[in-house]
């Protein structure tokens, strides 16, 4: 049996490991091994698609910041469910930053990095990915326990919410920092990933399994929640008092929003997950599609771009809060309500003088203007 190049080698000491993390030539060795340098060194400057993705990242940061500010400034959203939704928005915002850093430090700048900086660059993306998917799981857990308990105590819900947020970030940081703590393929080229040449294939496979398991858990929890609410709605004898029924309708509306978010997450990230599974199974230089991973990451990045749009389109309260934040002067009345803009037409009698019949044109500020018309019973109200 042939011995692998790394077999029998002594485990590197801490000083050797530290020097390896600072050795720039390590990246050149690993990238050459997986075939990423077969077409020559990357040219200087960003490619057009990289510039496009940078622009998308900037939009991701801005729009998620707007949603986060709308949630923070509106006291209506200061409740556990919206705190968790805000945590998901925060992870998308930070994902935009990490994507931007990843793009800027990729291409010709990759081989200028030390392994330590490379681990930090890629680890940030994994941490934000884990934060997003675990935040979705935290929301599902919170909704599940809330629907089971018809008389939840606000103090208990608040403690559970903070615990879920803390655990989600702790697990995300742990998962994203495992490679820099030692689960990598330094000194073991045969076990290296093609997509991420310093990551061990086993670590890539482990992450895909974890993310898939979390997504399955989310689907199961939402399935039980929808079944619970639907059964109570269809059985009149089991429907609790009116306040609970109203709360259930509000929860269902928010659940639909989050369910759409989960569905979009799966659609955006599934291609990259499939690519990473191929990476685990394919030997180096055997699957050319693995060298196009940047495009798959770009599709996954769209998820953080779409989420704020979903909140705005499917949740009226969040949409009103965002409008209030962005257009407070032009769209809000003095009492804090969103102005109604439209035209209302009704047929009523109008006052007539010796000049003939007239129409009444009225505006929301109680100003009335009379105009002559051949339609004696037409009342045109412009509501602004």
């Amino acid at each position: 049996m042939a011995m692998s190049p790394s077999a029998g080698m002594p485990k590197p000491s801490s000083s050797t490991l530290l020097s390896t993390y600072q050795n720039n030539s390590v990246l050149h060795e690993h990238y050459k091994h997986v075939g990423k340098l077969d077409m020559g060194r990357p040219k200087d400057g960003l490619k057009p698609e990289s510039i496009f993705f940078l622009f998308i990242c900037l939009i991701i940061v801005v729009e998620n910041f707007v949603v986060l500010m709308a949630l923070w400034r509106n006291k209506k959203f200061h409740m556990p469910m919206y705190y968790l939704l805000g945590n998901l928005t925060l992870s998308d915002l930070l994902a935009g930053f990490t994507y931007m850093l990843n793009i800027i430090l990729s291409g010709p700048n990759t081989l200028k990095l030390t392994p330590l900086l490379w681990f930090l660059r890629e680890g940030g993306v994994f941490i934000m990915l884990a934060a997003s998917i675990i935040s979705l799981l935290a929301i599902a857990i919170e909704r599940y326990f809330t629907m089971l308990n018809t008389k939840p105590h606000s103090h208990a819900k608040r403690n559970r919410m903070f615990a879920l947020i803390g655990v989600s970030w702790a697990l995300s940081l742990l998962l994203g920092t495992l490679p820099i703590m030692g689960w990598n393929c330094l000194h073991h080229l045969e076990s290296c990933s093609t997509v991420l040449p310093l990551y061990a294939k086993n670590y890539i496979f482990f992450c895909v399994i974890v993310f898939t398991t979390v997504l399955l858990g989310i689907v199961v929890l939402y399935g039980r929640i929808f079944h619970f609410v639907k059964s109570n709605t269809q059985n009149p004898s089991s429907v609790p008092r009116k306040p609970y029924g109203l709360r259930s309708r509000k929860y269902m509306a928010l659940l639909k929003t989050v369910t759409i978010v989960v569905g979009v997450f799966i659609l955006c990230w599934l291609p990259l997950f499939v690519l990473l599974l191929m990476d685990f199974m394919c030997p180096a230089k055997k699957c050319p599609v693995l060298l196009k991973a940047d495009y798959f990451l770009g599709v996954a990045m769209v998820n953080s771009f779409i989420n704020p749009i979903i909140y705005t389109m499917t949740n009226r309260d969040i949409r009103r809060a965002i409008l209030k934040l962005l257009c407070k002067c032009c769209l809000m009345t003095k009492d804090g309500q969103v102005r109604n803009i439209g035209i209302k037409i009704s047929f009523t009698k109008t006052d007539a003088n010796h000049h003939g019949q007239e129409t009444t044109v009225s505006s929301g500020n109680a100003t009335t203007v009379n105009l002559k018309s051949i339609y004696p019973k037409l009342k045109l109200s412009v509501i602004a």
Side-chain angles (χ1 to χ4, degrees):
M1 179 178 178
M3 184 177 294
S4 63
S6 59
M9 292 182 62
K11 187 177 180 179
S13 62
S14 58
S15 59
T16 303
L17 186 62
L18 181 61
S19 63
T20 302
Y21 276 19
Q22 298 294 334
N23 188 355
N24 178 267
S25 63
V26 171
L27 261 72
H28 187 279
E29 179 185 7
H30 282 252
Y31 272 67
K32 183 178 180 180
H33 173 76
V34 299
K36 288 198 170 187
L37 298 183
D38 289 351
M39 299 179 64
R41 299 175 67 91
K43 297 180 180 179
D44 293 335
L46 293 175
K47 296 183 291 185
E49 55 267 32
S50 298
I51 297 175
F52 172 76
F53 286 137
L54 276 176
F55 178 71
I56 296 297
C57 289
L58 182 60
I59 298 179
I60 289 173
V61 173
V62 171
E63 62 181 2
N64 280 283
F65 177 77
V66 170
V67 174
L68 202 60
M69 288 299 296
L71 295 176
W72 176 66
R73 296 185 62 176
N74 196 320
K75 292 184 179 180
K76 180 189 295 187
F77 302 129
H78 293 183
M79 53 190 298
M81 178 60 181
Y82 285 101
Y83 279 127
L84 291 170
L85 194 61
N87 184 58
L88 176 62
T89 305
L90 177 62
S91 67
D92 284 334
L93 188 153
L94 295 176
F97 276 119
T98 57
Y99 294 150
M100 290 178 70
L101 291 175
N102 192 285
I103 293 172
I104 293 172
L105 296 176
S106 296
N109 293 320
T110 298
L111 298 180
K112 300 177 183 178
L113 301 175
T114 63
L116 178 62
L117 293 177
W118 189 94
F119 282 130
L120 293 176
R121 185 191 76 178
E122 302 299 338
V125 176
F126 270 75
I127 290 173
M128 292 307 112
L129 167 60
S132 293
I133 192 171
I134 297 176
S135 293
L136 291 172
L137 177 62
I139 293 173
I141 293 172
E142 169 61 26
R143 290 301 87 209
Y144 180 74
F145 282 107
T146 299
M147 294 304 298
L148 289 182
N149 187 3
T150 59
K151 297 181 179 179
H153 300 287
S154 59
H155 183 69
K157 287 183 65 176
R158 187 175 294 270
N159 289 340
R160 185 170 67 221
M161 178 267 298
F162 283 121
L164 288 172
I165 291 176
V167 170
S168 66
W169 282 104
L171 291 177
S172 302
L173 288 170
L174 175 63
L175 191 64
T177 55
L178 283 175
I180 201 173
M181 291 190 296
W183 196 352
N184 53 59
C185 63
L186 297 179
H187 307 293
H188 302 279
L189 292 176
E190 71 282 354
S191 63
C192 285
S193 159
T194 299
V195 175
L196 299 164
L198 268 63
Y199 278 178
K201 287 187 175 184
N202 290 336
Y203 170 75
I204 299 292
F205 182 73
F206 172 76
C207 288
V208 173
I209 294 300
V210 169
F211 295 150
T212 303
T213 302
V214 171
L215 284 174
L216 289 176
I218 293 172
V219 172
V220 171
L221 286 173
Y222 279 135
R224 293 181 65 89
I225 292 170
F226 280 121
H227 176 73
F228 177 82
V229 176
K230 184 178 180 180
S231 61
N232 280 319
T233 303
Q234 292 179 344
N235 186 4
S237 62
S238 65
V239 177
R241 59 188 182 280
K242 185 177 179 180
Y244 177 75
L246 178 62
R247 188 181 67 182
S248 295
R249 288 194 295 272
K250 290 183 177 180
Y251 284 167
M252 283 299 294
L254 195 54
L255 277 172
K256 288 178 181 178
T257 300
V258 178
T259 303
I260 294 174
V261 170
V262 174
V264 171
F265 182 94
I266 295 174
L267 290 177
C268 291
W269 284 95
L270 184 61
L272 184 60
F273 286 172
V274 172
L275 186 77
L276 293 178
L277 286 176
M278 291 179 59
D279 188 18
F280 173 75
M281 295 181 292
C282 287
K285 302 182 180 181
K286 296 298 182 180
C287 298
V289 68
L290 297 178
L291 302 178
K292 304 295 183 180
D294 290 345
Y295 297 99
F296 290 82
L297 180 60
V299 174
M301 184 179 66
V302 173
N303 176 72
S304 297
F305 171 79
I306 295 178
N307 279 348
I309 300 176
I310 296 174
Y311 308 149
T312 305
M313 297 298 294
T314 61
N315 190 293
R316 184 179 63 180
D317 291 335
I318 296 179
R319 182 168 63 249
R320 290 168 67 92
I322 293 174
L323 287 175
K324 182 178 178 180
L325 180 66
L326 295 178
C327 304
K328 188 172 183 180
C329 297
C330 59
L331 294 179
M332 302 301 299
T333 61
K334 293 181 179 180
D335 58 356
Q337 300 297 320
V338 178
R339 291 182 184 272
N340 291 321
I341 301 176
I343 297 178
K344 179 181 178 181
I345 301 177
S346 59
F347 290 90
T348 62
K349 291 184 178 180
T350 60
D351 295 332
N353 54 25
H354 63 281
H355 291 292
Q357 301 295 338
E358 300 171 345
T359 59
T360 301
V361 181
S362 61
S363 64
N365 57 8
T367 302
T368 302
V369 181
N370 292 322
L371 299 175
K372 292 182 179 181
S373 173
I374 61 174
Y375 301 100
K377 294 185 178 181
L378 178 63
K379 181 179 180 181
L380 179 63
S381 298
V382 180
I383 306 171

